[in-house]
């Protein structure tokens, strides 16, 4: 039976009851696990511009029979999907933690970036195959149409890239920006291709430039895939020295040994650390913990830590003595 409008559902009740469990108190990490202040207007504007011209370029790409223009149109269509996915991911990432997802949804941005990278690999593969076929059997291309449409596309891509460049903190937005930069290169290549064909009628330039642009995009795409995969697999942040952290912890006065140590990014740019410390005197733990927290924040930029103290067993104490 449908529940009354004034009666909270089960999920809502769970989230309300668990809200205090996610709260940060004095001494806890200062950041949140979600992006409450990240604006979606940047991606929304980029999506609108890209989606509009994607339709225009697809039509003229096929009408002019230019692979360079078709590949650029393909990039624009893919960019529209990528930007839409990026926008959706940022909306999801803004959601606060729940009883089912205690870390929040910040990882969704990296997932979207990874998916975008995989899609771009497919686009690059298609363009390369089509270009090889056209090198073997050149087709006539309307150079003038290609130049005009590609020039408009270049202008729009510059505007979109400028809009996206205002959000440098998001891995997902950077992935979308790579899509757009690839499109920008594609538009420039299409202009060159159209000009050469228009003035010289040398058709092979169209697939040649398409392959060149695809290789440039491939390099950037692999970088996004590598970064997002590392994040999704909870890899140690690139700017953090895991071994040095272990050494610094073990040399902290009062700490005998460290084990089960893990360092990862809970969300982009927000490293976290968990581990077990064996200490000589459990009563000294508050002082030891305060010293460790200060060291990790000042030296390694980590303020979200969870450490479990363990009293050094007698046999271990004798072995370390």
């Amino acid at each position: 039976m449908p529940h009354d409008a004034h009666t909270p559902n089960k999920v809502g009740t769970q989230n309300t009851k668990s809200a205090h469990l996610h709260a940060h108190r004095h001494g806890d990490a200062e950041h949140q696990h979600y992006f409450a202040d990240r604006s979606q207007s940047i991606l929304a504007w980029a999506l609108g511009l890209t989606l509009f011209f994607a339709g225009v370029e697809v039509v003229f790409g096929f009408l002019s029979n230019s692979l360079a223009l078709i590949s650029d149109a393909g990039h624009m269509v893919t960019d529209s999907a990528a930007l839409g996915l990026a926008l959706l991911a940022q909306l999801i990432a803004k959601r606060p933690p729940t009883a089912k997802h205690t870390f929040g949804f910040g990882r969704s941005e990296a997932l979207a970036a990874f998916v975008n990278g995989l899609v771009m690999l497919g686009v690059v593969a298609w363009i390369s195959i089509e270009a090889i076929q056209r090198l073997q059997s050149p087709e006539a291309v309307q150079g003038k149409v290609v130049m005009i449409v590609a020039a408009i596309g270049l202008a729009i891509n510059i505007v979109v890239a400028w809009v996206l460049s205002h959000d440098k903190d998001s891995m997902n937005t950077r992935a979308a920006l790579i899509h757009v930069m690839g499109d920008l290169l594609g538009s420039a290549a299409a202009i060159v291709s159209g000009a050469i064909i228009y003035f010289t009628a040398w058709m092979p330039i169209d697939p040649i430039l398409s392959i060149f642009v695809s290789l440039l995009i491939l390099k950037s795409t692999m970088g996004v895939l590598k970064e997002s995969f590392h994040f999704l697999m909870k890899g140690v942040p690139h700017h953090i020295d895991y071994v040095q952290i272990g050494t610094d912890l073990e040399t902290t006065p009062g700490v005998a040994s460290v084990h089960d140590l893990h360092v990862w990014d809970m969300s982009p740019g927000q490293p976290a650390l968990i581990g077990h410390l064996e200490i000589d005197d459990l009563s000294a733990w508050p002082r030891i913990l305060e010293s460790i927290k200060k060291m990790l924040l000042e030296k390694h930029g980590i303020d979200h830590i969870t450490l479990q103290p363990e009293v050094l067993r007698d046999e271990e104490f004798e072995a370390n003595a």
Side-chain angles (χ1 to χ4, degrees):
M1 184 175 70
H3 62 271
D4 186 80
H6 300 289
T7 303
N9 57 34
K10 183 177 180 181
V11 175
T13 302
Q14 286 182 335
N15 291 344
T16 300
K17 289 182 176 180
S18 67
H20 70 285
L21 299 175
H22 306 298
H24 289 238
R25 297 182 178 179
H26 178 70
D28 292 342
E30 296 181 357
H31 65 262
Q32 300 294 325
H33 306 314
Y34 59 99
F35 304 103
D37 59 347
R38 182 165 290 169
S39 172
Q40 282 74 53
S41 60
I42 291 176
L43 284 173
W45 272 101
L47 174 61
L49 289 172
T50 305
L51 188 61
F52 167 75
F53 194 72
V56 175
E57 200 164 33
V58 165
V59 173
F60 283 96
F62 282 99
L63 288 177
S64 63
N65 198 34
S66 167
L67 180 59
L69 198 56
I70 291 174
S71 64
D72 192 35
H75 290 159
M76 293 288 277
V77 172
T78 305
D79 287 346
S80 299
L83 289 168
L85 187 59
L87 181 59
L88 177 62
Q90 285 204 1
L91 288 171
I92 294 175
K94 284 186 66 175
R95 296 175 59 188
T98 67
K100 295 293 185 180
H101 302 89
T102 59
F103 279 117
F105 300 85
R107 202 166 292 271
S108 62
E109 290 201 67
L111 180 60
F114 187 76
V115 172
N116 285 342
L118 293 179
V119 172
M120 281 306 299
L121 288 182
V123 173
V124 169
W126 176 79
I127 293 173
S128 300
I129 294 173
E130 186 70 19
I132 292 174
Q133 293 176 348
R134 289 209 175 191
L135 282 173
Q136 296 173 344
S137 302
E139 299 182 14
V141 176
Q142 299 178 28
K144 185 176 181 180
V145 175
V146 173
M147 281 192 297
I148 295 174
V149 177
I152 299 174
L154 179 64
I156 291 181
N157 283 322
I158 290 175
V159 173
V160 173
W162 178 77
V163 170
L164 290 177
S165 66
H166 284 69
D167 185 7
K168 299 179 181 179
D169 296 330
S170 169
M171 178 192 304
N172 195 35
T173 304
R174 294 201 306 271
L177 179 59
I178 287 179
H179 277 263
V180 177
M181 293 303 293
D183 241 347
L184 196 151
L185 291 173
S187 296
I191 293 174
V192 174
S193 174
I196 293 177
I197 291 173
Y198 181 75
F199 291 107
T200 69
W202 190 54
M203 300 301 170
I205 188 62
D206 187 66
I208 289 175
L209 287 179
S210 297
I211 293 176
F212 174 72
V213 172
S214 295
L215 292 176
L216 293 178
I217 298 173
L218 179 62
K219 180 180 179 181
S220 299
T221 299
M222 293 306 296
V224 170
L225 285 173
K226 183 178 179 181
E227 180 181 2
S228 57
F229 180 78
H230 182 80
F231 178 79
L232 291 172
M233 295 303 293
K234 296 186 178 180
V236 177
H238 297 297
H239 67 284
I240 290 178
D241 188 335
Y242 174 82
V243 176
Q244 185 60 49
I245 287 178
T247 301
D248 292 339
L249 288 173
E250 289 181 333
T251 55
T252 300
V255 176
S257 65
V258 180
H259 65 95
D260 201 17
L261 180 66
H262 301 277
V263 183
W264 77 102
D265 262 331
M266 292 198 316
S267 53
Q270 296 180 343
L273 177 149
I274 61 174
H276 291 220
L277 302 181
E278 291 188 331
I279 60 178
D280 303 325
D281 182 8
L282 191 58
S283 64
W285 175 240
R287 173 184 56 79
I288 297 173
L289 179 60
E290 190 64 29
S291 176
I292 289 175
K293 290 171 65 175
K294 182 179 180 181
M295 179 272 294
L296 288 175
L297 180 59
E298 294 180 353
K299 190 171 182 179
H300 301 282
I302 303 175
D303 71 336
H304 198 292
I305 65 173
T306 303
L307 294 172
Q308 178 176 323
E310 300 173 353
V311 179
L312 188 64
R313 295 190 295 270
D314 292 340
E315 58 271 20
E316 292 179 343
F317 181 79
E318 293 176 358
N320 292 333

